Structure formats: C-alpha cells, structure tokens
C-alpha cells in the first residue's frame, strides 16, 4: 500500500489487533473493534468518494464528540482529503466564515446543530451535501441503522473494500482553525507527518503508552488538545479510546471508574473542576495511573489535589501549530519545577530569541521558537501570516519564555498579554500563580489596563471559591505582600466567571475591552 497517512494506522491494526477495542461510546457503551473501525471507515471513505470528495477537498465537521466523529477523521484521511473540524460554539456567521475560508464542499453536522448548520450554509454555494450525525442520546435510546439516520444510511452506501490513495507524510490532512481571540481564525495546515511525529512524541509522557492503555476523550475533538494529546496517539499504538459527548466533572469521574481508564487528558479548567468535585473523594481511580494537563499552566493547588488523589500528574505544552505536543514536564519534576513546561519533546528543538531573532542567554526572556517534524506547514491561504510565523525553519510561537541551566523552559506570557507599567515588564502568569496560592481563589486572570500615569496598570479579575470571605481589597493586599509591588495588582475585580473559549482558554481580550476600555483591546 502506498498510503503513509494516519488513515493507514487502522488498516495495520485491523491486521495486528483486529478484535481489540478501538472506540467505546461512553453512555450507550457501544464498542467498535479495530477490525470494525477499518471496515466502517472504508465504507465511509468510499461513500464520500462516490459523492465527489477527492484528494485535497475539504470536509467540514460541526459535531459533538462521538465515535462517528473519529470515523470521519479517518475516512477523510484515507481519501487524501482534508478534515475541517469546526467549533460548534461559534456564532453562525463565524461558522460560515470557516466554511467559506476553507472552501469546504461537504459537511457533517450533529442533529443538535441542524439549525446552526442551516444558518451557516444559507449563502454557501460550495457545500454540495450535508449529512446529519446522531447525538449520544439518539444513539443510546435506539438500535440499528435507524438510530443513526442520515449518517448510517450514507455510510452503508459505501463499499467495505479499502480505498487506496497514494498519501505521504507531507500531505495536508486537517485544517485546524485557531481560536481567533484576536481576530478572524486562521486555518493551521496540519499534515499526516505532523500527526505521526506527534504520536511518537506523546509516547514520551510519564511511563509511555501501550496497547492495553485506556483513555477518555472528554475535551472537544474539534480542538487539537483533545485530538492530538491522547486520542490519535492512542489509536496509533492500538489502545482504547472512550469518547464522551461533553464534560461534567462528576460524570467524568464516574466514567473513569466504569471504563477503568488508565490515562487521561484535560485542560486546566477541567482539571480544576475535577479537583473541586465532591465526587473526587469517593471515586474509584485505582486504574488511573496518570493525568496530563495542557493548553495553559495548571495551578499548583490543582496539581496538589490531584496528586493527593493518587494520580501521577504531568503537564505538557503545545499549540495547534505543533499538532500539539512540543514539550512535557514529567511527573518527577512537576512539583520541583512547578510553572515550567518542562523540556522539549523528542523530535523538537527550542530556542529563545530577541526582537531581532538573536538567541538570548540562558535565563533571559525572549520569544520561544520551535522546530520539528510535528510543526505545521502554514496557515491556509494566508501567506503573510505564514511568513511571519515560520522564519528560517523555526515557528515563532508568540510566547515569551526563558530556560534555566537544567534545560527547563518556563513561559512568562504571551507577547500580547505582557503588561508594561512604568517601564517595567510584568508577566501575568507570574502574578496569577502567586494569587492561585490563596485558598479562596478559584480562578484568576491578570490583565493590563490603560493608566494615565503609568501607561498601563495591573488588574486581577478573580473568581472566588464558594463561601469565600476575602474581599477584593484584602486579596490585593495579600498579593502585594508576596510579590514585587510593581507586579502586584493595583485593582482586584471579583466576578462570577471568566470568559473562555469552548476549549477553556481565557479570553483576556474580552476582559481588557470590558474593564479597560476599547483601546486596551485594540492595542493588542
């Protein structure tokens, strides 16, 4: 076979591990073996081919997490086409933008998003066909082909014979759109080779991955974290993936126990919810050997709570553009090097440079640059943005960082989030980590807002724990006693919740605009 893409992983496992479980539908419990997954993705690929989807065509997905979503990813890969996962929490106009920008010609959407899909495609002349995929409730309450409606009927129309295409590691397989917190989202072009090397990088976390491992995919699979940290690497190695439609901490803990999950990935906001869940104290986590966090620094208080629950905890660093694994902090280093992202993954090189692109000395802050075979090849139809991000073989991340003598890298903030007050640089992450040490702080976001005297001043936006007694000024004074005065917030604002993207990332731009005025947002 000339297929060297990630669709071929299933073909190999169907031969080597055909009767082993590949996917489990969480609530209904439906099991798909590797042999069945190979057959179903062959059928789906053939059906797409019969409907005109060719190499390089874009197939969009507006879907809740489901085994069917993973089938679509793999079927599209087998055709040499390009999957375009879409954030279903976007407004219809934003979904329409992604569909138009990607030039998608085919759309799969959950039945729950029928209205959103209709609104987003109302003026779209490229979408030739859309197919509905059932929600978990629909899959769990009915049986047979009728339970899946359009999707199963569409899949059944394809031949189970393997569709063979000549596919290389250099071919684009996924357009993963960035969150677009500072403007229109950009489609990161990820290749089959990116996913292959990412899977190998993923095997370097803690004790590694084996085919007897079980993970649970609860974060949205339209996001690179859920797709790339565990789901694809587990299917690469021939292990088992439990897929749950949405995340709720108590239900997640129950599912971990019921499915005997061995390793799990969540973003920090999700881990914080697990750590604060009353069910954590009674949950059976005897099989859960390790947890991995990524997407943002995880507060040390959350790490401590999870370790006390018996979990080996690891942090990783990555981005959509690195598919995503770029660095990891191993369990033995999590406490001693709290706040660090660890060391580069196996196939990655890091360097830290100044504004002129010159590497800075050890310990000094500069922009983190990454090089490796898991790094994307550019932004879809955006040559200027691509040229700015990829320079001389290095991906310029936009993250400010420093490295110590032992090779541990620490992010100090996004370049756009750094606060300059009275000529002093203040890195919000540093202030946030101090404030997280207060027992009544549940969440905190530090931003810079305009100030007539200092240019900018430091503001902390805080969500307190339930029943907290500290007030805003008390928290400000508490922080001032634990950090340099110029770094301490001059104002603390208490809120019920922080604005986040669907994947849990803080929307600091929204906070700057709401609390600092429009100029604060525009200037970033």
């Amino acid at each position: 076979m000339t297929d060297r893409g990630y669709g071929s992983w299933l073909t190999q496992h169907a031969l080597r591990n055909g009767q082993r479980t590949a996917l489990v539908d969480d609530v209904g419990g439906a099991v798909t073996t590797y042999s069945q997954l190979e057959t179903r993705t062959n059928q789906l690929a053939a059906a797409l081919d019969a409907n005109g989807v060719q190499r390089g065509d874009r197939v969009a997905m507006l879907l809740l997490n489901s085994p069917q979503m993973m089938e679509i990813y793999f079927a599209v890969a087998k055709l040499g086409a390009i999957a375009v996962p879409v954030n279903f929490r976007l407004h219809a106009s934003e979904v329409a933008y992604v569909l138009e920008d990607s030039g998608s010609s085919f759309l799969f959407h959950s039945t729950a998003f029928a209205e959103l899909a209709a609104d987003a495609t109302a003026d779209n002349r490229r979408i030739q066909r859309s197919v509905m995929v059932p929600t978990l409730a629909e899959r769990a309450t009915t049986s047979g082909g009728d339970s899946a409606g359009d999707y199963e009927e569409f899949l059944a129309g394809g031949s189970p014979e393997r569709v063979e295409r000549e596919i290389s590691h250099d071919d684009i397989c996924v357009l993963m759109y960035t969150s677009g917190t500072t403007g229109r989202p950009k489609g990161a072009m990820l290749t089959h080779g990116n996913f292959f090397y990412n899977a190998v990088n993923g095997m370097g976390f803690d004790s590694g991955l084996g085919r007897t491992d079980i993970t649970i995919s609860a974060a949205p699979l339209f996001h690179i974290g859920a797709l790339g940290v565990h789901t694809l690497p587990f299917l690469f190695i021939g292990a088992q993936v439990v897929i749950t439609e949405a995340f709720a901490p108590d239900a997640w803990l129950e599912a971990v126990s019921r499915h005997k999950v061995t390793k799990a990935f969540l973003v920090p906001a999700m881990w914080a919810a697990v750590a604060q869940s009353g069910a954590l104290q009674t949950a059976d986590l005897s099989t859960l050997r390790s947890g991995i966090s990524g997407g943002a620094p995880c507060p040390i208080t959350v790490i401590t709570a999870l370790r006390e629950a018996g979990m080996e905890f690891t942090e990783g660093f990555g981005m959509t553009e690195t598919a995503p694994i770029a660095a990891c902090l191993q369990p033995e280093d999590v406490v001693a090097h709290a706040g660090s992202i660890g060391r580069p993954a196996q196939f990655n090189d890091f360097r830290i440079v100044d504004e002129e692109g010159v590497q800075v000395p050890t310990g000094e802050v500069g922009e983190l640059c990454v090089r490796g075979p898991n790094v994307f090849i550019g932004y879809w139809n955006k040559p200027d943005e691509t040229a700015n991000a990829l320079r001389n073989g290095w991906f310029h991340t936009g993250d400010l960082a420093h490295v110590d003598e032992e090779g541990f890298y620490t992010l100090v903030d996004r370049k756009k989030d750094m606060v300059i007050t009275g000529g002093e640089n203040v890195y919000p992450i540093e202030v946030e980590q101090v404030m997280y040490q207060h027992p009544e702080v549940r969440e905190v976001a530090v931003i810079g807002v305009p100030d007539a005297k200092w240019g900018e001043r430091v503001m902390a936006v805080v969500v307190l724990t339930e029943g907290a007694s500290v007030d805003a000024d008390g928290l400000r004074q508490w922080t001032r006693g634990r950090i340099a005065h110029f770094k301490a917030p001059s104002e603390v604002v208490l809120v019920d919740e922080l604005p986040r993207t669907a994947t849990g990332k803080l929307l600091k731009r929204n906070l700057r605009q709401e609390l600092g005025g429009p100029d604060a947002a525009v200037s970033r």
Side-chain angles (χ1 to χ4, degrees):
M1 187 194 301
T2 55
D3 183 354
R4 295 295 179 264
Y6 76 88
S8 67
W9 300 354
L10 300 186
T11 307
Q12 296 301 321
H13 285 305
L15 294 172
R16 300 177 61 247
N17 304 293
Q19 298 312 305
R20 293 189 63 82
T21 298
L23 302 175
V24 178
D25 204 347
D26 177 30
V27 174
V31 171
T32 305
T33 66
Y34 275 96
S35 180
Q36 291 169 334
L37 188 55
E38 168 70 358
T39 298
R40 286 177 62 81
T41 53
N42 286 348
Q43 288 183 275
L44 186 54
L48 286 167
D49 182 51
N51 276 266
V53 176
Q54 299 299 310
R55 171 189 299 279
D57 286 350
R58 277 76 67 202
V59 176
M61 301 184 293
L62 190 64
L63 298 170
L64 291 161
N65 283 6
S66 65
Q68 287 78 5
M69 186 174 186
M70 292 311 302
E71 289 175 352
I72 295 165
Y73 268 120
F74 278 102
V76 171
K78 286 181 174 183
L79 286 177
I82 301 171
V84 184
V86 184
N87 182 343
F88 55 75
R89 296 181 182 177
L90 296 176
H91 185 271
S93 63
E94 296 170 307
V95 174
Y97 171 80
V98 172
L99 297 179
E100 287 285 355
D101 185 72
S102 64
S104 294
S105 59
F106 201 102
L107 173 66
F108 288 95
H109 67 85
S110 295
T111 52
F113 303 139
E115 184 177 349
L116 176 60
D119 290 345
T121 58
D123 298 320
N124 189 306
R125 299 184 181 278
R126 291 178 178 271
I127 300 291
Q128 299 300 306
R129 182 171 179 179
S130 61
V131 171
M132 288 195 295
V133 177
T135 63
L136 188 149
E138 292 164 336
R139 299 194 302 274
T141 56
T142 52
S143 59
D146 291 342
S147 67
D150 283 8
Y151 180 80
E152 286 295 336
E153 293 173 11
F154 181 77
L155 182 148
S159 167
E161 296 300 313
R162 179 67 153 89
V163 176
E164 291 197 25
R165 296 285 186 271
E166 187 171 339
I167 299 168
S168 78
H169 273 193
D170 296 329
D171 289 334
I172 302 167
C173 57
V174 170
L175 282 187
M176 184 75 73
Y177 276 76
T178 59
S179 56
T181 56
T182 57
R184 288 289 198 180
K186 302 186 293 290
M189 296 185 286
L190 299 172
T191 68
H192 291 271
N194 290 158
F195 284 155
F196 170 80
Y197 283 100
N198 175 75
V200 178
N201 280 344
M203 295 167 67
F205 279 113
D206 55 77
S207 57
L209 304 180
R211 68 190 187 110
T212 59
D213 275 316
I214 302 170
T215 193
I216 181 167
S217 291
L221 285 165
F222 62 68
H223 181 251
I224 194 63
L227 182 68
V229 174
H230 264 187
T231 307
L232 283 182
F234 269 64
L235 295 171
F236 169 77
I237 204 68
Q240 179 176 321
V241 178
V242 178
I243 298 180
T244 184
E245 190 170 83
F247 171 79
D250 291 3
W252 184 88
L253 285 162
E254 188 278 329
V256 167
S257 173
R258 177 161 41 90
H259 294 292
K260 302 186 184 305
V261 170
T262 63
K263 296 174 182 289
F265 164 81
L266 293 174
V267 299
M270 291 176 169
W271 281 122
V274 169
Q276 293 159 13
S277 169
L280 180 62
Q281 305 306 316
T282 56
D284 179 7
L285 302 181
S286 57
T287 63
L288 186 58
R289 297 198 302 276
S290 67
I292 297 177
S293 179
C298 196
I300 190 65
T301 51
V302 173
I303 295 172
T304 300
L306 296 171
R307 285 168 63 93
E308 288 176 351
M311 194 184 308
E312 190 176 64
F313 198 80
T314 312
E315 284 198 88
F317 165 74
M319 304 174 72
T320 300
E321 291 89 343
T322 59
I325 299 168
C328 68
L329 184 66
Q330 299 290 22
E332 63 269 23
D333 299 316
V334 164
V335 174
H337 295 274
S340 166
I341 60 171
R343 297 176 171 123
Q346 183 171 351
F347 291 104
N348 283 139
D349 298 318
F350 282 11
R351 68 196 299 249
I352 297 175
V353 302
D354 61 19
E355 293 289 342
E356 284 71 46
V358 177
Q359 188 163 344
V360 303
T362 299
E364 290 194 13
V365 172
E367 182 179 11
L368 177 64
C369 298
V370 181
R371 180 174 65 185
N374 58 308
V375 174
F376 81 137
I377 61 171
Y379 296 111
W380 182 258
N381 288 337
K382 289 183 169 52
D384 292 343
E385 287 89 338
T386 297
N388 184 57
L390 296 172
R391 286 175 263 160
N392 300 316
W394 292 89
F395 168 48
H396 289 246
T397 66
D399 284 312
L400 296 173
H402 59 77
V403 60
D404 65 20
E405 295 287 352
E406 297 179 83
F408 286 91
Y409 286 78
T410 299
L411 299 184
V412 295
D413 236 306
R414 295 290 294 172
K415 289 177 73 174
K416 64 181 177 60
D417 286 338
M418 185 178 70
V419 181
I420 304 176
T421 178
E424 295 280 4
N425 293 346
V426 177
Y427 303 111
I429 287 177
E430 181 183 2
V431 184
E432 289 162 359
Q433 290 289 16
V434 169
M435 298 187 74
Y436 268 123
Q437 295 172 25
H438 192 288
E440 295 183 349
V441 170
R442 192 176 84 196
E443 292 186 288
V444 57
V446 170
I447 60 173
V449 296
D451 184 88
K453 181 178 180 181
W454 303 107
E456 284 186 301
R457 58 188 173 89
V458 179
M459 176 185 288
V461 187
V462 177
V463 179
L464 296 176
T465 59
E466 188 174 348
S469 59
V470 69
D471 61 13
D473 190 61
L475 184 56
R476 184 182 68 83
Q477 294 291 350
W478 182 92
T479 307
R480 188 177 174 86
R482 287 163 173 79
I483 199 169
H485 286 186
F486 76 87
K487 297 180 182 179
S490 63
E491 182 180 1
V492 172
V493 177
L494 301 181
V495 297
D496 292 332
E497 62 180 359
L498 296 176
R500 294 183 179 275
T501 67
T503 55
K505 289 185 179 180
L506 282 172
L507 290 168
K508 288 191 175 182
R509 184 172 186 269
N510 291 25
L511 290 175
R512 284 192 290 265
Q513 187 163 12
E514 179 183 349
L515 300 171
D519 290 344
V522 172
S523 67
R524 310 271 171 176

